[in-house]
């Protein structure tokens, strides 16, 4: 048993990635793409030493720091914007147009989407089992899908579209008929 096993803590080998020859050539051609590759000017005795210049050191630290909202917001990270998240954020900005009975505070005039936010799931309490919960069939993956499948929102949207179309539609055939001398002049111009 003791032939091949080493005693814990007495043997240590660094766990370095093995780089094939082709990737070394690639790193030399494009040094920015490789995080392991450093120029000879940055290496001292083969080791990377941070620069003494404070501005260069701050720039290096800023590159390594993750993008967060700050310690006041418990270092909330900035999530990556997927198309689904982007649609949901735009819907939240336009939430005043979704429900006619509910009124919200005026949103800021900036049309930019927020940089720092979190998405969660609402967990209903046990007491709302029959009254306030959504069934599995009503639950969708995104907010946009939920609003499109909601029948009350669908009826309100349909009614509003109908009202806008009625406002923009001409009163009848009379608006299209041009009466008077203008028609004779146009007819005469068309003939010649």
């Amino acid at each position: 048993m003791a032939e091949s096993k080493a005693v814990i803590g007495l043997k240590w080998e660094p766990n370095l990635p093995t780089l094939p020859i082709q990737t070394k050539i690639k790193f030399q051609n494009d040094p920015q793409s490789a995080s392991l590759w450093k120029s000879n000017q940055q290496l001292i005795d083969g080791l990377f030493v941070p620069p003494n210049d404070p501005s260069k050191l701050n720039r290096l630290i800023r590159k390594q720091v993750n993008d967060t909202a700050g310690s006041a917001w418990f270092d909330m990270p900035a999530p990556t914007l997927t198309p689904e998240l982007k649609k949901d954020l735009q819907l939240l900005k336009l939430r005043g147009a979704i429900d006619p009975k509910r009124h919200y505070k005026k949103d800021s005039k900036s049309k930019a989407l927020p940089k720092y936010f979190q998405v969660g799931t609402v967990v209903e309490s046990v007491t709302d089992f029959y009254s306030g919960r959504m069934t599995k069939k009503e639950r969708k993956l995104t907010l946009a899908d939920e609003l499109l499948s909601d029948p009350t929102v669908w009826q309100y949207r349909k009614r509003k579209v109908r009202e806008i179309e009625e406002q923009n539609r001409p009163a009848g055939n009379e608006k299209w008929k041009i009466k008077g001398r203008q028609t004779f002049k146009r007819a005469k111009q068309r003939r010649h």
Side-chain angles (χ1 to χ4, degrees), residues 117-178:
F117 61 91
Q118 288 182 340
V119 179
T121 306
V122 176
V123 179
E124 291 117 358
S125 67
V126 181
T127 57
D128 293 336
F129 187 76
Y130 291 107
S131 61
R133 82 178 177 96
M134 292 174 65
T135 60
K136 281 187 180 179
K137 211 180 253 188
E138 291 172 345
R139 288 188 188 142
K140 305 291 180 202
L141 292 176
T142 61
L143 186 64
D145 293 339
E146 277 188 28
L147 288 174
L148 287 174
S149 65
D150 189 14
T152 57
V153 174
W154 183 77
Q155 288 171 352
Y156 172 70
R157 192 179 68 237
K158 189 174 178 181
R159 182 173 55 91
K160 280 301 202 186
V161 166
R162 197 177 320 119
E163 288 174 7
I164 292 169
E165 284 176 351
E166 286 174 6
Q167 285 177 352
N168 295 338
R169 188 174 47 217
N173 223 2
E174 300 301 315
K175 275 194 173 178
W176 296 333
K177 291 182 182 176
I178 303 171

Side-chain angles (χ1 to χ4, degrees), residues 80-127:
T80 54
L81 274 179
T82 61
E84 292 85 14
L85 269 178
K86 201 171 186 179
K87 283 179 187 174
D88 284 350
L89 288 173
Q90 287 170 344
L91 273 172
L92 284 175
K93 275 204 168 281
L94 298 171
R95 67 183 184 263
I98 294 172
D99 191 4
K101 305 277 194 244
R102 187 172 289 172
H103 301 284
Y104 297 96
K105 268 188 185 176
K106 195 172 191 180
D107 199 11
S108 63
K109 290 185 180 181
S110 69
K111 294 183 180 178
L113 297 175
K115 187 175 182 181
Y116 304 104
F117 61 91
Q118 288 182 340
V119 179
T121 306
V122 176
V123 179
E124 291 117 358
S125 67
V126 181
T127 57

Side-chain angles (χ1 to χ4, degrees), residues 28-47:
Q28 290 172 356
N29 291 341
D30 188 15
Q32 298 299 329
S33 66
S35 61
L36 296 174
W37 189 86
K38 303 286 182 194
S39 66
N40 289 335
Q41 297 170 351
Q42 293 176 330
L43 297 178
I44 299 172
D45 294 332
L47 299 173

Side-chain angles (χ1 to χ4, degrees), residues 54-67:
S55 64
K56 287 183 181 178
L57 185 64
N58 287 341
R59 196 177 315 133
L60 188 68
I61 290 170
R62 259 187 266 124
K63 281 183 183 177
Q64 293 175 349
V65 171
N66 290 336
D67 191 17

Side-chain angles (χ1 to χ4, degrees), residues 10-18 47:
L10 295 179
K11 186 176 179 186
W12 179 81
E13 293 179 10
N15 190 9
L16 297 174
T18 56
L47 299 173

